């Protein structure tokens, strides 16, 4: 149980006086004492019940609270039957030491509080459930059965242990999804990925508005039986409400066994995807050699037949009616296979509709679109949490094609996705996505230009202007941008910059002197616009 359960309906009528932010601490037992120094008798996790007979003055409160905090007590309950209301110096001491302080009214017996906690807390029950989880892990590994939701429901109902299995994108694999907001999930997976990238020892801890959480790796690279074929960026994470480092040894073992169970389930799921990966690689090979559409259709049909959940029992219907998106992705500064593993986890979900092929640092995804196409912005939002695990050099760029309505159009969609990915690669950011709507713009032309040519072009037009700004604390670059956005309108541009038209004319004249260009000419305006885009 948690400290906050002592304030819930049905609990003894206790009053909270201090440290409301620490109510998620786990209570493992009760110690009743009026000793001045009870620390030697504490084992950690106890609620200390006291009649305050040890107190003769304000200094005693600080010493007593410091002692029980050092001994591992999780809360203090002070009875008011003997010495009256809880003194303010005890309240202040508890605040300083972040020790939850509960007042026990004079009509509530200590025995009532002890009995209530005894009914809620059972170390033996925790040990039994730990053994149950361990046995279930073995069953999952041997028989290939699922059941993560059932195990998490059992732990939540019998041990008040709220747990979730999350994908690295924040999607809920198992657990009560309605009890964890999308924002909370995003923060949890980001905290976990950042800790993994920094190679911190688990469990990782995160504190949200709703309390503390412990995060344990539970993915393809976490299980002892699993080969190192995945990536930390694609691993699942077990999120447990509370700080497991404050738990008893038995409860900590329970969390560790649960993480092993989840890792075994993930490994079982990945083993089941092997045939699907072969189909994906076969499909990519067919597209690369521009194979007959009939061959491509047969591979798509086999893929649909393997999908876990389709609305129609006839997979052929979906091959005929579905449109298909092609995604081209590449990773830099990442281990080989990372991008494929990440996209397989992010886009496969529970349905496994996505075919993810590739090797090395790249990947190609063929994704059926049964309703509406997936916009590039949605994919960018989906993958955004991964930024926390990429590190300073890591990067993922992704291009998305327009939907192809038939198998014969997938070859063209693949080329389209590759061009879109080059646009994404030209942008600044850890995770960049470009869609087909950008292929008709000048950005596609810029993306096709070699990097050294792009740098030389930008330098030739802007270096002198930038240097002038730095030396004279001027604002020529911003003026140039505003002038081009205003289509060369002097009055509109001056209004946007909040300067007089004569001031604007002076600045534009200075830019023309520095660059030898004429901003009244369309050709020179286009060159400046492209240079600013490259910058």
């Amino acid at each position: 149980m948690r400290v906050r359960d002592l304030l819930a309906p049905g609990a003894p009528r206790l009053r909270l006086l201090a440290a409301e932010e620490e109510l998620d601490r786990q209570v493992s037992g009760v110690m009743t004492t009026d000793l001045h120094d009870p620390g030697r008798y504490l084992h950690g996790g106890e609620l200390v019940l006291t009649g305050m007979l040890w107190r003769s003055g304000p200094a005693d409160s600080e010493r007593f609270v410091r002692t029980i905090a050092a001994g591992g007590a999780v809360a203090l309950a002070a009875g008011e039957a003997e010495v009256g209301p809880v003194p303010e110096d005890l309240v202040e001491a508890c605040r300083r030491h972040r020790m939850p302080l509960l007042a026990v009214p004079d009509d509530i017996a200590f025995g009532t509080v002890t009995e209530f906690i005894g009914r809620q807390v059972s170390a033996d029950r925790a040990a039994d459930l730990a053994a149950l989880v361990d046995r279930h892990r073995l069953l999952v590994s041997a028989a290939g059965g699922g059941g993560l939701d059932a195990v998490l429901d059992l732990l939540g109902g019998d041990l008040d242990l709220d747990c979730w299995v999350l994908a690295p994108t924040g999607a809920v694999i198992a657990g009560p999804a309605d009890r964890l907001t999308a924002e909370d999930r995003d923060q949890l997976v980001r905290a976990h990925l950042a800790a993994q990238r920094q190679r911190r020892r688990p469990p990782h801890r995160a504190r949200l508005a709703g309390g503390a959480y412990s995060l344990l790796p539970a993915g393809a690279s976490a299980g002892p039986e699993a080969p190192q074929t995945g990536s930390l960026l694609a691993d699942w994470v077990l999120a447990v409400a509370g700080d497991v480092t404050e738990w008893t040894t038995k409860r900590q073992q329970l969390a560790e066994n649960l993480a092993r169970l989840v890792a075994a389930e993930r490994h079982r799921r990945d083993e089941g995807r092997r045939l699907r990966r072969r189909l994906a690689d076969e499909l990519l090979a067919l597209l690369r050699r521009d194979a007959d559409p009939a061959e491509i259709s047969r591979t798509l049909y086999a893929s649909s037949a393997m999908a876990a959940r389709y609305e129609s029992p006839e997979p052929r219907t979906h091959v005929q009616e579905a449109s298909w998106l092609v995604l081209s992705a590449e990773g830099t500064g990442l281990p080989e296979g990372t991008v494929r593993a990440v996209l397989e986890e992010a886009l496969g979900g529970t349905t496994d509709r996505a075919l993810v092929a590739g090797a090395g640092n790249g990947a190609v995804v063929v994704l059926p679109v049964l309703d509406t196409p997936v916009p590039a912005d949605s994919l960018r939002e989906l993958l955004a949490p991964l930024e926390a695990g990429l590190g300073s050099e890591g990067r993922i760029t992704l291009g998305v094609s327009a939907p192809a309505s038939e198998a014969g159009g997938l070859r063209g969609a693949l080329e389209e996705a590759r061009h879109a990915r080059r646009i994404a690669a030209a942008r600044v950011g850890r995770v960049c996505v470009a869609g087909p709507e950008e292929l008709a713009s000048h950005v596609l032309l810029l993306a096709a230009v070699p990097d050294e040519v792009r740098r030389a072009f930008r330098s030739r037009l802007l270096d002198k202007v930038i240097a002038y700004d730095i030396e004279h604390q001027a604002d020529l670059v911003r003026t140039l941008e505003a002038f081009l956005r205003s289509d060369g309108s002097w009055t509109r541009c001056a209004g946007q910059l909040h300067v007089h038209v004569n001031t604007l004319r002076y600045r534009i004249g200075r830019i023309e002197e520095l660059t030898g260009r004429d901003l009244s000419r369309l050709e020179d305006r286009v060159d400046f616009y492209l240079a600013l885009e490259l910058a």
Side-chain angles (χ1 to χ4, degrees):
M1 67 173 291
R2 300 175 190 166
V3 176
R4 69 171 63 253
D5 295 330
L6 289 164
L7 303 169
R13 290 182 295 100
L14 308 184
R15 303 192 316 275
L16 177 65
L17 301 180
E20 180 181 2
E21 70 279 5
E22 299 294 335
L23 295 183
D24 282 323
R25 292 181 176 185
Q26 297 284 340
V27 179
S28 62
V30 182
M31 178 186 183
T32 303
T33 183
D34 274 309
L35 294 173
H36 285 82
D37 183 6
R40 73 191 78 172
Y41 303 110
L42 292 169
H43 301 288
E46 294 92 348
L47 170 82
V48 174
L49 270 171
T50 180
M52 299 186 289
L53 298 179
W54 42 264
R55 181 184 177 276
S56 58
D60 293 336
S61 294
E62 168 65 25
R63 183 167 52 250
F64 185 83
V65 175
R66 184 173 63 246
T67 298
I68 65 171
V74 296
L76 174 63
E80 298 179 323
E82 294 290 337
V83 299
V86 177
E88 187 60 29
D89 52 83
L90 182 56
V91 176
E92 288 301 320
C94 286
R95 285 176 182 156
R96 282 194 296 273
H97 291 278
R98 301 174 66 88
M99 177 67 64
L101 175 61
L102 305 167
V104 183
D106 56 10
D107 60 338
I108 301 294
F110 280 4
T112 302
V113 178
T114 302
E115 182 181 353
F116 177 80
I117 294 174
R119 289 198 306 267
Q120 301 294 318
V121 179
S122 172
D124 290 339
R125 181 58 175 160
D128 291 342
L129 284 173
L132 173 63
V133 170
D134 197 40
R135 289 197 301 272
H136 188 87
R137 177 179 65 85
L138 297 175
L139 288 173
V140 168
S141 300
L148 286 180
D149 275 308
V151 174
L152 298 189
D153 287 344
L154 174 66
L155 295 175
D158 286 15
L159 254 190
D160 192 26
L161 188 63
D162 290 335
C163 305
W164 297 263
V165 179
L166 304 177
T169 57
V172 177
I173 305 296
D178 58 333
R179 298 179 63 179
L180 204 58
T181 67
E183 182 180 355
D184 286 345
R185 298 198 304 268
D186 181 84
Q187 292 185 53
L188 290 176
V189 296
R190 285 177 183 269
H192 175 71
L193 289 170
Q196 290 281 80
R197 177 172 56 81
Q198 296 163 9
R199 300 185 180 278
R200 298 209 304 266
R201 185 181 180 86
H204 313 306
R205 282 165 286 184
R207 179 167 289 279
L208 307 183
Y213 291 83
S214 298
L215 308 169
L216 295 92
S221 59
E225 307 92 342
Q228 301 294 315
T229 56
S231 160
L232 295 178
L233 284 173
D235 275 353
W236 291 348
V237 53
L238 174 65
V240 182
D243 186 347
V244 300
T245 61
E246 296 180 351
W247 293 0
T248 63
T249 301
K250 290 180 179 179
R251 286 183 70 94
Q252 289 182 16
Q253 289 173 350
L254 172 63
E256 293 167 0
N257 283 339
L258 182 58
R260 293 189 187 99
L261 183 154
V262 176
E265 174 67 8
R266 169 63 187 271
H267 178 54
R268 183 197 66 80
R269 200 280 313 272
D270 286 349
E271 285 293 305
R273 280 181 169 174
R274 285 190 176 185
L275 178 57
R276 190 164 186 80
R277 293 188 187 108
R278 287 201 294 270
L279 280 174
D281 290 338
E282 178 183 335
L283 177 62
L284 180 57
L286 292 173
L287 294 178
R288 282 174 171 168
R289 64 180 176 86
D290 201 11
D292 187 279
E295 287 187 76
I296 298 173
S297 292
R298 283 194 291 271
T299 304
L300 293 176
Y301 172 74
S303 164
S304 297
M306 292 174 59
R309 298 173 185 170
Y310 275 112
E311 295 175 2
S312 167
E314 288 294 332
R316 184 180 298 275
T317 302
H318 293 278
V319 174
Q320 293 171 346
E321 295 180 358
S323 296
W324 301 83
L325 290 180
V326 177
L327 284 64
S328 176
E330 188 167 321
T332 53
L334 301 173
E336 288 193 2
T338 294
V339 175
R340 180 177 188 172
V342 164
L343 293 179
E344 190 173 56
E345 186 58 44
L347 301 175
T350 57
T351 62
D352 264 348
R353 286 181 179 142
L355 283 171
V356 186
N361 293 321
V364 171
V365 183
V366 178
L367 181 68
V369 183
L370 301 180
D371 298 310
T372 56
V374 182
D377 287 345
S378 296
L379 288 171
R380 172 68 182 81
E381 185 177 346
L382 175 69
L383 299 175
L386 300 176
E387 293 175 347
L390 286 173
S392 59
E393 302 298 325
R395 193 163 186 251
I396 296 176
T397 54
L398 184 69
V400 187
S401 75
S405 58
E406 55 185 20
L410 285 179
R411 171 66 183 176
L414 175 59
E415 290 303 315
E416 194 173 71
R418 285 173 171 166
H419 285 303
R421 196 208 63 77
R422 295 179 71 179
I423 293 176
R427 293 175 175 161
V428 176
R430 300 280 182 84
V431 178
C432 296
V433 183
E437 67 280 355
E438 301 177 70
L439 292 177
S441 77
H442 64 280
V443 181
L444 176 60
L445 297 177
L446 295 180
V449 177
D451 286 346
E452 60 272 15
V453 177
R454 290 151 56 94
R455 284 193 294 269
F457 179 79
R458 181 177 64 239
S459 175
R460 229 174 259 128
L461 269 84
L462 296 180
D463 275 5
K464 290 182 179 179
V465 180
I466 294 171
Y468 186 92
D469 275 353
I470 294 172
E471 182 179 353
H472 297 89
Q473 299 296 305
D475 213 4
L476 297 186
V477 173
R478 190 168 73 93
T479 300
L480 177 60
E481 291 174 335
F483 186 72
L484 295 175
R485 283 198 306 269
S486 303
D487 299 323
S489 169
W490 295 99
T491 54
R492 198 158 70 245
C493 180
Q496 289 179 9
L497 294 173
H498 304 292
V499 299
H500 194 276
V501 172
N502 289 340
T503 301
L504 176 61
R505 290 185 184 278
Y506 170 79
R507 292 181 182 179
I508 295 298
R510 175 61 66 186
I511 292 171
E512 291 175 335
E513 290 176 11
L514 291 169
T515 61
R517 299 297 187 106
D518 182 357
L519 278 165
S520 66
R521 298 179 64 238
L522 176 63
E523 296 90 336
D524 287 343
R525 289 187 190 179
V526 170
D527 284 348
F528 276 120
Y529 176 78
L530 294 177
L532 289 169
E533 284 288 293
L534 291 172

